[in-house]
Amino acid sequence: MKLPMWRRWQREELDEEIRSHIAMAVRERVERGENPAEAEVRVRREFGNEVQVKEVTHDMWGWTWVERLWQDLRYGARMLAKSPGFTVIAVVTLALGIGANTSIFSIINAALLRNLPVPNPQELVVVGDPSRVHSLSTGSPQTSIFSTDLYRELQRNQDVFTGLAATSDLSGAPTVTIDNGAPERIYGRLVSGNYFSVLGVNAVQGSVFTGEDDNEHGAKPVVVISYKYWKRRFHQDANVIGKTIRLDGYPLTIVGVTPKEFTGEVVGDYQDMWVPMMLQPQVMPGRDYVHSQTSYWLTLIGRMKPGLTFAQTKSQLDVTFSRIANSGFASKYTKSEQDDLKKAKLEVYPGGKGISGFRKRMSEPLVLMMLVVGLVLLIACVNVANLMLARSASRQREIAVRLAIGATTSRIVRQVLTESVMLACLGGTLGLIVAQWGTKALPFMVPNRSGEVPLDTSPDPVVLTFTFLVCVLTGILFGLVPALRARRVQLTSALNSEMRSGSVSGGGASRWSAGRILVAAQVTLSVLVLFIAGLLMQTLRNLQQVDTGYERHNLVVMRIDPRVAGHKGSNYIAFCNDLLQRIRSLPGVTSATYSGNGLFSGSESDSGIVIAGQANLSEKDRQVFNDTVGPNYFSALNVPMLQGRDIGPQDIGEHPKVAVINEAMARKYFGEQNALGQVFHVDDDEHVDIPLQVVGVARDIRDHSLTDAIGPRFYTPVNLQDLPGEIKFEVRTTGNAESVVRDIRGVVKSVDPALKIPSINTLDGLIDDWMDSQIFVAQLSGFFAGLALVLACVGLYGISAYSVAMRTRELGVRMALGAKPRDVIGMVLKEGFLIVLVGAAVGVPAAIAGSHLLRSMLFEVTSYDPRALTVSLTVLVAVGFFASYLPARKASRVDPMVSLRYE
Amino acid sequence: MTKRYQNRIEILQGTLDLLILQTLQWGPQHGYGISQAIRISSGDVLDVETGSLYPALHRLEREGWIKSEWKVSDNNQRVKEYRIMAAGKRQLAAERSRWERLSSAIAGVLKPAEE
């Protein structure tokens, strides 16, 4: 054994010391007159077992465990190499199990656990709602997202941050052209001048924004680009600083490039560039949020002063905010808005992990997936444990020999465990590779706004540590069973040649051997996984069949913003009507309409209303969701009118005079009375003299969620008073959505080439986006259920084959005594079935109990959903039957004479 | 068989340390010499087995109570000599007082039986 230099030197020294001891003892005896040869013999005998003395002395140095480990590792490697079939199957099984866990954990790490790559992320604080990443609000002040002046006021009055920055989405599908090239869609953020200094990010080329580039007085036309964008579009050209790009036509000079690992403060969305927020009106023509008092578009990020805790910061901010709410600053708001402001609580969260819309939606599903892959790994462990058990049976002899020459049982247990951990680590290494490929595939199953989730899931130290721990635990887990078995090996019977067939000590012949119990456990775990998958898939199916109240297929939704092309006021309405006419006359279009909020488009409006004759409505009851819609809105969507009429073209005009309400609103506010003819108005200064008369009651429809209860809603015709910004066109098609989409794009281009289309989708596509987390868990759990089933099948087959092989003699005897092949098959099948039965008996109640935990992710599925249960059980029984049948058939075919002679 | 040696070391461990340290108090000595010295001064009663002696010597050295050095003896043989260090002297004093307390305790138990 090759030892490190200094260890060898230590041993040599000890050898010499002992040699000199013996030499001195011999010399003394010789001096006393003994024969030198005799003296040497006597001295050596007196000295005792030299080797043993050396061993014990070596122990004193305390390094023995390292040497022993090394020995165990080499021995284990040799053993594994000796049975390549076993090793390959075990490693692949483990790779699948460990790889799946690493995959999911990488996503969890990237989305939920990892800090932003900035110095001292624990000092960062988000003011506002960290999940409202792409939000824009108009109307009354709120504390989840901020207006420019509220931001500045907060910035001026706060004393807890070394800096408070603001960020917002560069919305509206911005495109960038470089040197008159083709426009490319980019993703970016509008940020305040102190954004980079608050986060602590420095440029790798050029420099980042300073307070001079953007402050309350204005901004320079500059832009900072990301490393990825620099690589993609400029091929890491060092001369990029000073180059000009055009963002929707507006020229910006590149002043810096951010480091490779920095992709912005939004997790789950990569950013190409950062633009000073004060340039917003220039880069988003037609919309001015910077100077608008009623536009809420900023999320704030601050860095706490050193020494402050999060709790302190939060309470100080609350004080500051209430001061602002009660100060002269608030006097520009209406009375009710001021009251709201005074009652509002600032939303403050730790900001070290950035902001993310993706995170909130995916937390629960990801944790659930972690549980599922954990179960799959357990199933894989059981498989490998069984494999090792079968192998250990053939190693009894080797173990017996080792015991006979003096090894302790604990040493043998240690060695078996070392071998299994080694196996697990091999599987884990392969699993890492599997995970790399798997994780790249997974995020595409988790779509977000931009269509992909560029989470950085490359393995980082956290993931590698996790994988290593999983390997070690896995190895110990499945190694424990054969290791403990090894302890019980009895020397005499093991050395006896009888060992090789028939009775394995420790009970291969007993009904409930370790192997059988393990497989039953596998069945239990598989029931769990199958049941969970069944529930989730059923949920998805239920969601897909929810009645939305209108025909949801064959509907195309387009979002555009006419303001970008300069349309304002009555020109805006005329433009929309013109476009509507053109779209209606396209082939393949049965009807079309437009609306401010539309269907599943992520925007909502709510307003307080005052109903004539109902003076004492509560605060909450006064808020009603609403929409402004185009002519024939309901008939275009095929929503039946229960009473009265639809909004007509004659209603579109300067002031709204009529409204259509939905069933829920009619029921809530007018009860038994006839809702038609009732009058109400929106409760604010601009609408107080604009009464709305109810001219129609429409069926309740689902317009933004498949699962929420449908609340009251009213629809007013699009009018100059409440001009929507971005408007949605809903187009009913006869079938081929693709060609209609193409035609619509063509129409828009012909009407106004300057107009961009931020998005155009089928409603089915939008609803799928809404359901993305449910689709994710259903698909993934289905995949893992399949994997679990394969592993369980392999396990069951293995144990059947093994037990049949062990009992070849017994079966031979039975058949010689007259048993028919049919009986033998029946016997083996019965045993296999018994294992499945026991496993299922434990698994089913566990699954039902466990499914209670899934409550929040299920939809219209009971926790003991009979369909999922029956399917799971049927599949398992079928698998069990199939897995036991093959070995059974093989056994029944064996010639009794051959099996009797089998040794 | 390894077990036997280990047990012996554990039982005698404290006492063996005491004997070795005391012997080295008289001056540096090699392993063979230490075992001879203990045998002679105990009147041939205590015959320290090498299986206990060498592990003990290396352990004491690891603790820092004694230090070893290779020297050449009078008849040109290389021997590894050990000598006691200051920390060893302190340990020796501690072990002595422990031993004295132990032996007087045992004497106290034995005395009444005589009466």
Side-chain angles (χ1 to χ4, degrees):
Chain A
M1 169 165 42
K2 227 21 187 49
L3 291 169
M5 277 269 283
W6 63 277
R7 287 281 272 148
R8 255 182 296 155
W9 167 77
Q10 258 185 335
R11 281 175 184 265
E12 278 164 15
E13 266 214 354
L14 183 59
D15 287 347
E16 192 174 351
E17 188 175 359
I18 288 172
R19 268 196 311 255
S20 86
H21 175 119
I22 290 175
M24 282 188 278
V26 168
R27 229 192 38 238
E28 202 179 293
R29 281 176 180 263
V30 166
E31 273 170 17
R32 278 193 267 134
E34 277 185 39
N35 179 335
E38 262 183 40
E40 181 142 353
V41 168
R42 288 223 185 93
V43 163
R44 282 194 184 270
R45 210 182 325 143
E46 249 182 39
F47 191 88
N49 187 339
E50 213 178 297
V51 172
Q52 206 118 44
V53 173
K54 286 184 187 169
E55 278 294 331
V56 179
T57 315
H58 289 152
D59 265 353
M60 287 298 123
W61 292 332
W63 285 107
T64 332
W65 68 271
V66 172
E67 287 185 347
R68 290 230 181 106
L69 186 62
W70 181 241
Q71 262 182 333
D72 285 346
L73 285 174
R74 290 183 49 167
Y75 186 76
R78 254 209 326 271
M79 283 293 114
L80 288 178
K82 260 196 195 166
S83 36
F86 159 81
T87 310
V88 165
I89 296 181
V91 168
V92 168
T93 311
L94 289 169
L96 287 174
I98 298 179
N101 273 273
T102 303
S103 244
I104 300 292
F105 185 76
S106 305
I107 298 185
I108 290 183
N109 182 44
L112 305 177
L113 300 176
R114 198 152 56 186
N115 282 326
L116 292 177
V118 297
N120 290 319
Q122 71 280 2
E123 288 174 359
L124 291 176
V125 167
V126 170
V127 184
D129 185 345
S131 62
R132 290 186 71 174
V133 173
H134 306 301
S135 263
L136 172 71
S137 246
T138 44
S140 35
Q142 45 201 287
T143 51
S144 56
I145 192 165
F146 296 89
S147 61
T148 321
D149 43 8
L150 204 48
Y151 161 56
R152 299 255 182 248
E153 191 69 14
L154 204 53
Q155 197 183 22
R156 263 194 290 270
N157 288 291
Q158 63 82 17
D159 54 356
V160 288
F161 297 125
T162 56
L164 182 63
T167 83
S168 184
D169 195 31
L170 203 50
S171 59
T175 56
V176 157
T177 50
I178 306 174
D179 296 334
N180 298 318
E184 182 200 12
R185 167 81 202 260
I186 57 105
Y187 298 90
R189 301 284 288 175
L190 291 157
V191 298
S192 57
N194 57 359
Y195 170 79
F196 289 103
S197 67
V198 164
L199 287 179
V201 175
N202 292 314
V204 293
Q205 294 281 334
S207 56
V208 291
F209 294 153
T210 62
E212 290 195 358
D213 294 310
D214 173 290
N215 52 53
E216 56 205 24
H217 305 297
K220 296 193 189 147
V222 292
V223 64
V224 170
I225 60 177
S226 72
Y227 190 92
K228 275 206 184 100
Y229 187 74
W230 181 46
K231 192 169 172 184
R232 195 173 80 233
R233 295 290 269 151
F234 294 97
H235 310 292
Q236 294 172 296
D237 176 12
N239 294 321
V240 72
I241 309 297
K243 277 221 165 98
T244 304
I245 61 172
R246 286 180 178 272
L247 181 61
D248 284 342
Y250 190 79
L252 295 168
T253 313
I254 300 177
V255 291
V257 178
T258 57
K260 189 169 181 186
E261 65 273 4
F262 182 71
T263 50
E265 77 282 15
V266 182
V267 174
D269 248 352
Y270 60 88
Q271 308 300 337
D272 293 316
M273 57 190 65
W274 293 269
V275 175
M277 66 182 252
M278 296 303 282
L279 290 180
Q280 182 271 328
Q282 283 91 327
V283 298
M284 290 162 64
R287 295 146 287 175
D288 187 346
Y289 307 138
V290 168
H291 302 104
S292 153
Q293 234 170 265
T294 53
S295 293
Y296 299 86
W297 59 302
L298 297 170
T299 304
L300 312 182
I301 302 180
R303 187 177 277 279
M304 294 192 288
K305 287 192 175 141
L308 280 179
T309 66
F310 177 76
Q312 287 171 331
T313 307
K314 188 172 194 318
S315 56
Q316 289 231 45
L317 278 173
D318 281 336
V319 169
T320 308
F321 187 74
S322 75
R323 234 198 336 214
I324 293 176
N326 288 297
S327 73
F329 170 82
S331 58
K332 59 177 150 186
Y333 297 112
T334 66
K335 183 75 179 49
S336 61
E337 284 173 348
Q338 286 183 32
D339 291 335
D340 286 337
L341 218 49
K342 287 193 186 124
K343 277 182 283 178
K345 290 242 95 184
L346 265 190
E347 297 190 40
V348 182
Y349 299 91
K353 299 186 177 25
I355 58 181
S356 171
F358 167 76
R359 183 180 293 155
K360 188 167 172 186
R361 275 196 338 268
M362 296 302 296
S363 292
E364 264 187 341
L366 280 173
V367 170
L368 177 64
M369 283 300 107
M370 198 75 225
L371 177 70
V372 169
V373 290
L375 288 174
V376 171
L377 182 61
L378 276 178
I379 295 177
C381 279
V382 169
N383 254 5
V384 181
N386 256 342
L387 281 175
M388 286 197 84
L389 265 183
R391 195 158 145 270
S392 78
S394 55
R395 286 176 67 180
Q396 302 289 39
R397 245 192 154 181
E398 164 223 326
I399 292 174
V401 169
R402 288 173 69 191
L403 283 174
I405 60 171
T408 58
T409 40
S410 65
R411 182 87 160 86
I412 298 202
V413 167
R414 249 209 319 263
Q415 188 266 319
V416 172
L417 280 179
T418 310
E419 199 176 316
S420 59
V421 171
M422 224 170 63
L423 198 57
C425 286
L426 275 175
T429 315
L430 186 60
L432 268 179
I433 299 173
V434 167
Q436 273 289 76
W437 162 85
T439 326
K440 295 242 183 312
L442 279 178
F444 286 93
M445 293 165 71
V446 185
N448 82 342
R449 188 186 69 121
S450 46
E452 65 172 275
V453 178
L455 282 178
D456 183 13
T457 49
S458 51
D460 70 11
V462 177
V463 172
L464 289 175
T465 314
F466 169 81
T467 308
F468 180 68
L469 282 176
V470 168
C471 284
V472 171
L473 279 172
T474 308
I476 293 179
L477 199 66
F478 72 75
L480 216 50
V481 177
L484 291 176
R485 273 286 224 90
R487 286 180 70 217
R488 293 197 280 130
V489 167
Q490 279 140 351
L491 278 180
T492 47
S493 65
L495 287 171
N496 198 307
S497 64
E498 272 256 317
M499 265 313 303
R500 274 175 287 161
S501 77
S503 46
V504 173
S505 84
S510 79
R511 289 234 82 180
W512 284 108
S513 65
R516 295 226 172 104
I517 296 178
L518 284 178
V519 176
Q522 242 183 356
V523 171
T524 307
L525 293 169
S526 303
V527 167
L528 281 172
V529 176
L530 281 172
F531 190 60
I532 292 176
L535 287 177
L536 293 171
M537 292 199 274
Q538 187 63 29
T539 297
L540 185 62
R541 239 197 313 267
N542 289 349
L543 280 175
Q544 283 165 339
Q545 286 164 0
V546 166
D547 179 15
T548 47
Y550 51 89
E551 173 60 53
R552 69 194 236 189
H553 305 299
N554 296 324
L555 202 59
V556 168
V557 176
M558 172 178 73
R559 282 170 35 199
I560 58 168
D561 195 337
R563 297 175 306 177
V564 170
H567 300 288
K568 283 201 277 271
S570 49
N571 189 295
Y572 182 108
I573 297 183
F575 170 80
C576 289
N577 284 333
D578 178 42
L579 190 55
L580 191 61
Q581 274 307 108
R582 288 172 192 262
I583 291 178
R584 276 192 179 144
S585 52
L586 284 175
V589 172
T590 22
S591 57
T593 182
Y594 51 74
S595 67
N597 288 327
L599 307 166
F600 287 93
S601 299
S603 57
E604 270 291 24
S605 315
D606 73 335
S607 321
I609 59 169
V610 172
I611 302 180
Q614 293 188 32
N616 38 1
L617 284 174
S618 76
E619 187 72 48
K620 205 162 60 99
D621 284 337
R622 241 183 288 196
Q623 294 294 114
V624 181
F625 284 102
N626 59 79
D627 200 357
T628 47
V629 298
N632 308 114
Y633 180 74
F634 295 96
S635 56
L637 291 179
N638 298 118
V639 178
M641 298 297 297
L642 300 174
Q643 279 186 292
R645 65 167 179 87
D646 198 342
I647 302 277
Q650 74 280 15
D651 300 311
I652 314 288
E654 198 174 318
H655 299 294
K657 298 193 184 74
V658 300
V660 170
I661 65 176
N662 69 355
E663 280 178 86
M665 182 163 177
R667 231 175 313 135
K668 179 168 181 180
Y669 296 101
F670 305 115
E672 297 304 319
Q673 298 173 312
N674 189 357
L676 287 184
Q678 299 276 5
V679 176
F680 67 94
H681 67 262
V682 171
D683 184 21
D684 62 29
D685 299 333
E686 293 140 0
H687 294 87
V688 70
D689 296 319
I690 305 181
L692 300 165
Q693 189 178 56
V694 177
V695 294
V697 178
R699 174 121 82 91
D700 285 342
I701 61 172
R702 296 195 170 281
D703 42 39
H704 62 278
S705 159
L706 290 179
T707 52
D708 291 347
I710 301 180
R713 198 174 180 83
F714 66 86
Y715 304 83
T716 48
V718 166
N719 59 82
L720 282 178
Q721 192 80 25
D722 311 302
L723 226 43
E726 194 185 64
I727 195 164
K728 287 89 180 164
F729 277 75
E730 290 90 13
V731 181
R732 173 71 65 197
T733 66
T734 48
N736 192 342
E738 255 181 57
S739 64
V740 171
V741 166
R742 246 194 322 240
D743 290 340
I744 294 179
R745 282 195 196 274
V747 165
V748 171
K749 214 182 199 141
S750 70
V751 165
D752 191 340
L755 205 51
K756 264 193 307 205
I757 303 179
S759 86
I760 178 165
N761 271 317
T762 57
L763 185 63
D764 285 329
L766 289 177
I767 293 181
D768 276 349
D769 280 348
W770 181 84
M771 291 196 296
D772 64 1
S773 68
Q774 284 91 338
I775 294 178
F776 172 67
V777 289
Q779 284 181 330
L780 211 54
S781 62
F783 171 74
F784 286 127
L787 189 59
L789 215 52
V790 166
L791 290 174
C793 190
V794 168
L796 205 52
Y797 177 83
I799 198 78
S800 295
Y802 175 68
S803 101
V804 161
M806 282 293 117
R807 297 161 66 189
T808 315
R809 233 198 197 174
E810 173 203 338
L811 294 175
V813 169
R814 280 179 190 258
M815 288 205 288
L817 292 179
K820 298 200 209 51
R822 213 168 11 122
D823 299 328
V824 169
I825 293 180
M827 196 180 71
V828 175
L829 279 182
K830 228 186 351 179
E831 284 169 4
F833 183 69
L834 193 60
I835 296 178
V836 171
L837 194 66
V838 169
V842 175
V844 167
I848 293 179
S851 65
H852 274 295
L853 300 170
L854 290 183
R855 286 269 82 222
S856 57
M857 301 189 55
L858 301 178
F859 177 68
E860 287 184 359
V861 171
T862 54
S863 55
Y864 51 87
D865 186 51
R867 194 157 152 190
L869 261 181
T870 347
V871 169
S872 314
L873 287 176
T874 318
V875 169
L876 269 172
V877 168
V879 162
F881 174 81
F882 177 70
S884 314
Y885 181 70
L886 290 178
R889 217 164 62 127
K890 205 170 92 164
S892 69
R893 293 253 187 87
V894 168
D895 180 356
M897 289 315 292
V898 171
S899 67
L900 282 172
R901 260 184 272 128
Y902 178 75
E903 261 299 292
Chain B
M1 282 209 258
T2 316
K3 275 208 168 92
R4 235 179 61 211
Y5 272 109
Q6 285 187 321
N7 281 339
R8 295 181 74 132
I9 288 176
E10 272 155 44
I11 291 169
L12 295 174
Q13 186 162 299
T15 329
L16 187 54
D17 289 356
L18 180 59
L19 296 176
I20 293 175
L21 288 171
Q22 180 64 41
T23 309
L24 289 178
Q25 183 85 308
W26 305 124
Q29 188 58 267
H30 48 68
Y32 180 64
I34 293 173
S35 72
Q36 294 298 85
I38 292 175
R39 192 166 58 82
I40 290 168
S41 48
S42 70
D44 260 352
V45 173
L46 298 174
D47 191 4
V48 183
E49 293 206 7
T50 48
S52 315
L53 177 69
Y54 280 101
L57 283 173
H58 286 254
R59 184 171 34 82
L60 292 179
E61 183 171 10
R62 215 187 54 179
E63 297 278 7
W65 298 330
I66 64 180
K67 203 164 143 86
S68 67
E69 211 181 327
W70 282 98
K71 288 226 163 77
V72 180
S73 75
D74 322 323
N75 36 357
N76 266 339
Q77 185 173 30
R78 257 176 51 103
V79 289
K80 194 175 186 185
E81 255 187 18
Y82 294 90
R83 69 173 191 284
I84 192 168
M85 307 294 288
K89 292 188 181 166
R90 286 197 291 274
Q91 180 67 14
L92 175 58
E95 292 281 345
R96 279 192 80 119
S97 62
R98 203 165 61 90
W99 174 257
E100 257 133 47
R101 261 180 300 147
L102 185 64
S103 65
S104 58
I106 293 178
V109 171
L110 291 176
K111 252 221 195 100
E114 286 172 2
E115 276 166 320

